[in-house]
Amino acid sequence: MKPSELKNLINRYLNHEANETERQLIDVWYQSFDEQNKKPDLSAAEEQRLKNDIFDQVKDTWKQSPKPIKLQSAFRYATAAMLCLATFLGVYRYLIKPNAQKQEKYLTINTGTREVKKIELPDGSAVWINANSHLRISEDFQKQVQRNVYLDEGEAFFTVKKNVKRPFVVFTKSVHTRVLGTSFNINSYKTLHKATVTVATGRVQVSTPAKVLGIITPSLQISYAIQNGRYQINKADALQAHSWTGGQSILNQASFDELALVIKNVYDVRLIGQNKAIAHYKYNLHINTTHTLDETMKIICSIHQNTYKRRKNNEITIY
């Protein structure tokens, strides 16, 4: 609202010319400051400057009257000034400086290459976090009606303590998974351009901000393509999906990109296919973290009769 419009609204209010909607607007604004019983986040200099600006606007109105100002009129102007101040301070607090409001704080857990962490949440739930992942939980986790966890990047396996009054929701960049009490795996690495949710026990609801994708039960998996929004619900081996929590990765009809991601997580090496055919290969194998990189690469190359070559900058080429 422009200052001129605000002044006209206050004048109509004081002269009993405002309609019901306008009166409620002024009343609600004015009463809200009594209820808050605290000042907005203004420095002393900012508050004084704001008061001076409001005083100048009210002073201009005083100068327009050639007659002596009666006590009743003076009271009206004083009231108008107070309403102006309350309204302007309110606008400043709620609209101009939204960052002055309390910001939610998070506990963050990051993992590096060849690193898997298990953490216990305050509600008794447990989370295993795969390599090169980033997970956040609110410092007010136990006070919130809904137990929110944010998997910003990577993969995690959850065993959730049942609480029907406090749903457990995991948010990724593309989908969110809502449960009451169950265990499930979420894979949401950026390099794969998709998110997958696989249920081990119980059942979960998987959604995007726009719609519900489905409710899945044990041994079912939802795979959501981030680029086009398409998704599939398929049967899946839940034990294989979170096999990484036990020190190995079981790949079943995995793409080259999925294989490359595992190699990056376990050995911190970038795997590169030298020809287009390799991009369409599928891989069925177990990768154990106790094996050396050369042992693992020999197994990988034996599947499609390839060879590999180490390069600089922690890169390996398959051809």
Side-chain angles (χ1 to χ4, degrees), residues 10 107 120 129-130 139 150 173 193 238 262 264 280 296:
I10 293 174
L107 171 67
E120 299 285 342
I129 308 169
N130 204 353
E139 291 185 358
Y150 301 86
K173 297 295 184 182
H193 307 292
V262 173
K264 175 66 177 177
H280 301 288
T296 299

Side-chain angles (χ1 to χ4, degrees), residues 8-233:
N8 290 334
L9 175 58
I10 293 174
N11 285 334
R12 290 198 302 276
Y13 178 89
L14 294 173
N15 292 322
H16 305 287
E17 298 174 354
N19 59 37
E20 182 64 24
T21 301
E22 293 171 332
R23 286 197 302 272
Q24 289 180 1
L25 177 63
I26 293 294
D27 289 339
V28 169
W29 260 117
Y30 190 60
Q31 292 170 8
S32 67
F33 292 96
D34 292 333
E35 294 169 359
Q36 290 174 21
N37 195 28
K38 61 181 180 179
K39 294 181 179 180
D41 299 318
L42 294 174
S43 66
E46 291 173 327
E47 185 171 349
Q48 186 59 49
R49 184 164 54 252
L50 188 56
K51 288 179 179 178
N52 291 340
D53 291 341
I54 296 172
F55 177 77
D56 290 340
Q57 294 183 33
V58 176
K59 184 175 62 177
D60 291 339
T61 306
W62 290 346
K63 291 180 179 179
Q64 292 175 5
S65 176
K67 300 179 181 180
I69 300 176
K70 296 181 181 180
L71 182 60
Q72 183 179 4
S73 299
F75 176 76
R76 284 186 176 182
Y77 288 125
T79 304
M82 287 189 292
L83 284 170
C84 283
L85 178 60
T87 304
F88 270 76
L89 292 179
V91 170
Y92 188 89
R93 180 177 178 83
Y94 290 101
L95 299 180
I96 300 176
K97 289 189 66 178
N99 291 331
Q101 304 300 310
K102 180 182 177 181
Q103 297 294 321
E104 188 169 7
K105 296 181 180 180
Y106 296 92
L107 171 67
T108 61
I109 301 96
N110 299 305
T111 55
T113 300
R114 206 165 186 158
E115 183 179 19
V116 174
K117 289 182 179 179
K118 178 186 177 183
I119 63 170
E120 299 285 342
L121 298 181
D123 67 334
S125 301
V127 186
W128 285 259
I129 308 169
N130 204 353
N132 297 316
S133 299
H134 179 85
L135 183 134
R136 290 182 293 132
I137 63 171
S138 172
E139 291 185 358
D140 294 328
F141 180 85
Q142 280 295 75
K143 300 178 182 178
Q144 296 173 338
V145 176
Q146 181 171 284
R147 296 172 288 172
N148 294 337
V149 177
Y150 301 86
L151 181 61
D152 297 323
E153 165 71 7
E155 186 171 21
F157 178 72
F158 298 83
T159 59
V160 178
K161 188 79 170 180
K162 187 173 183 179
N163 187 337
V164 295
K165 295 181 179 180
R166 298 184 64 219
F168 190 101
V169 183
V170 181
F171 293 88
T172 70
K173 297 295 184 182
S174 54
V175 299
H176 54 267
T177 304
R178 180 185 180 92
V179 304
L180 295 178
T182 184
S183 60
F184 58 99
N185 191 82
I186 298 181
N187 186 319
S188 184
Y189 284 103
K190 296 176 183 177
T191 55
L192 297 182
H193 307 292
K194 66 178 181 179
T196 59
V197 180
T198 310
V199 175
T201 61
R203 68 178 197 169
V204 305
Q205 175 181 288
V206 182
S207 308
T208 68
K211 62 180 179 179
V212 175
L213 301 182
I215 296 176
I216 55 176
T217 52
S219 299
L220 289 179
Q221 179 185 86
I222 284 184
S223 180
Y224 175 79
I226 297 174
Q227 292 179 334
N228 57 28
R230 296 177 181 174
Y231 67 95
Q232 293 180 332
I233 300 179

